[in-house]
Amino acid sequence: MTATKAPEELQLADTLIGAPYGPAEDDLTTLVRVAVYRTARRLRSEAQAAADITQSQFCVLASLDRYGALTPGELAEQERVQPPSMTRTVAALDELGFVERGPHPSDRRQVLVHLTPDGREVLTMVRRRRTAWLTEALSELDPEQRKAVRETAELLLTMVER
């Protein structure tokens, strides 16, 4: 059952985000949202061009690279998806040869998902392609603009890591 917001809460939300669909396009909130979304979409596009994997698959490979072998449940929690969805993603990556499933050392009911050398290679290829695109885009900016982008990126990271 979904709770409905009281009219005063809706008025406050409209005041904060703009009624009824959001603030005007020149508003800082919208500008940041659109810029971050379009940048992320372009980076996903670069990943797709580098390797025929989905964003979800890339994220699983990146998590395994960062944290080492994990159970499908741990991966689901890490990626904030439901376990059945993660099971499908892991199965697809296993079929591609990018991960392997093996026995859990202390719980025979569990499996551990490991990144394979091919999976690490795909991950590296995608990261290089994304970095190349972003490096080229940043190189078109003058030093003051690059400084502003750096400061903005640091602030955005601070915001999302709260």
Side-chain angles (χ1 to χ4, degrees), residues 39-40 42-50 58 122-140 146:
T39 301
R42 179 60 190 263
L43 290 170
R44 283 191 303 272
S45 172
E46 292 298 322
Q48 189 71 32
F58 173 81
V122 164
L123 190 59
T124 299
M125 196 169 49
V126 168
R127 287 175 171 163
R128 283 186 179 149
R129 173 90 183 226
R130 287 176 163 182
T131 299
W133 171 79
L134 197 50
T135 299
E136 183 177 329
L138 291 169
S139 74
E140 296 172 5
R146 281 194 300 277

Side-chain angles (χ1 to χ4, degrees), residues 45-99:
S45 172
E46 292 298 322
Q48 189 71 32
D52 193 21
I53 61 172
T54 67
Q55 181 65 18
S56 297
Q57 291 169 337
F58 173 81
C59 289
V60 168
L61 296 178
S63 287
L64 292 172
D65 184 49
R66 179 178 299 121
Y67 301 111
L70 297 169
T71 67
E74 290 168 333
L75 279 167
E77 187 176 314
Q78 183 68 36
E79 298 303 319
R80 294 186 170 106
V81 298
Q82 294 298 313
S85 177
M86 183 54 65
T87 298
R88 287 188 298 274
T89 301
V90 168
L93 288 168
D94 189 17
E95 190 172 307
L96 292 168
F98 298 154
V99 301

